[in-house]
Amino acid sequence: MHRERINEPGPDPMASTAPIKSAAAAIAEGTRQAMSADPSVFVIGEGVADPKRVFGTTAGLLEEFGADRVIETPVAESALTGIAIGAAMQGQRPILVHQRVEFALLAMEQLVNNAAKTHYVTNGVYTVPLVQRMVIGRGWGQGPAHSQSLEPLFAHIPGLIVAMPSSVEDAKGMLMQALVQQNPVLFLEHRWYHYRTGPAPDTPFTRPLEGSAILKKGRDVTLVGTSYSVYEALEAASILDQVGVSAEVVDLRMLRPLGLDSITSSVAKTGRLITIDTGWTAYGAGAEIIASITSDQFQSLKAGPVRLGLSDHPTPSSRGLTGDFYPSAQSIVEAACKMLRVGTDKLEAARNEALKRAEGAIPDIPNPAFKGPF
């Protein structure tokens, strides 16, 4: 293979008995523990001290550590990124928070030409131990400029580490691992992800910033998701089980470095591959995965791989348009049934089950308990 092989992260034995919490609470907890252990860690960004505390992910930090280490900032993203990079080069460990991934577009020169390259151009004399958290994805009709998933832009750049957790355990463990790296880590959180709940230890722990993870075993088709799309893939796999199709679900976890080992082993078994992006299909993570698998493992494929994601169109604001714009469990089910040439009766049964499970759901609202604008 032409790509470096990266080991799949194994299950954490602590997770099965760990307390249940939300991903937002896990991120806040991991941040608090890192700040308590290391005085060089500080949080900076727009909204880190506002009433909503970035979906609750910075809750309690200002009260515990004060305004010197939880810094609410003006709207000046390029300047903030430059400040964070400079602080990191001087031995600090900043966590720069963007409530929208689009805010980072105003600082791309800083990220691409400064953060990503400093280690290389100084021959390791300077490093940039920066963690930049960014919120991606849809919600609340915020449309073309404020609900995008732009992760491929960052994954394209050597020198950046790009993480996309989907489990609550990874929310905390990957963040705490990011905070001991010597090079910049971009930590991408889907805005619907913050409300997911699951087990994560209360004590500090880390999870590797490498490798994908198989979440459900299967024999007929491999479904690879990123971030929130992992949950749509798991729902689709549950529906497919009812019509006799066994789907294996893989959580990509990381875009850079891109670990393909678990995907490779899964496709060797199933012979079929469907990728589900949170962003646009064209030039996305799925495109890179499929190109690599097709190049390295063509002989294993029983059918042409399929990419699902957003169509080549700006993100709509209208709720009436969002239902068909985003990949869903139903669209994954239909793609898998078509790939496997499932009979009409089973296809109709699977489609009806998907519609039944989605009944009453509002495509653009993840959690009715959340009332704020962010």
Side-chain angles (χ1 to χ4, degrees), residues 221-222 267 271-275 290 293-294 298 300-307 335-336 338-341:
V221 60
T222 300
V267 172
R272 302 175 183 90
L273 172 63
I274 298 174
T275 62
I290 288 174
I293 294 297
T294 303
F298 184 78
S300 296
L301 294 170
K302 300 174 183 177
V306 170
R307 287 179 292 163
K338 181 179 179 181
M339 179 180 284
L340 284 147
R341 300 181 180 178

Side-chain angles (χ1 to χ4, degrees), residues 20 56 73 109 119 147 164 191 224 226 289 309 313 345 360 371:
I20 302 298
T73 63
E109 195 278 334
H119 184 276
S147 57
M164 290 186 72
R191 71 177 75 190
V224 182
T226 56
I289 293 166
H313 187 279
D345 290 346
K371 304 299 183 185

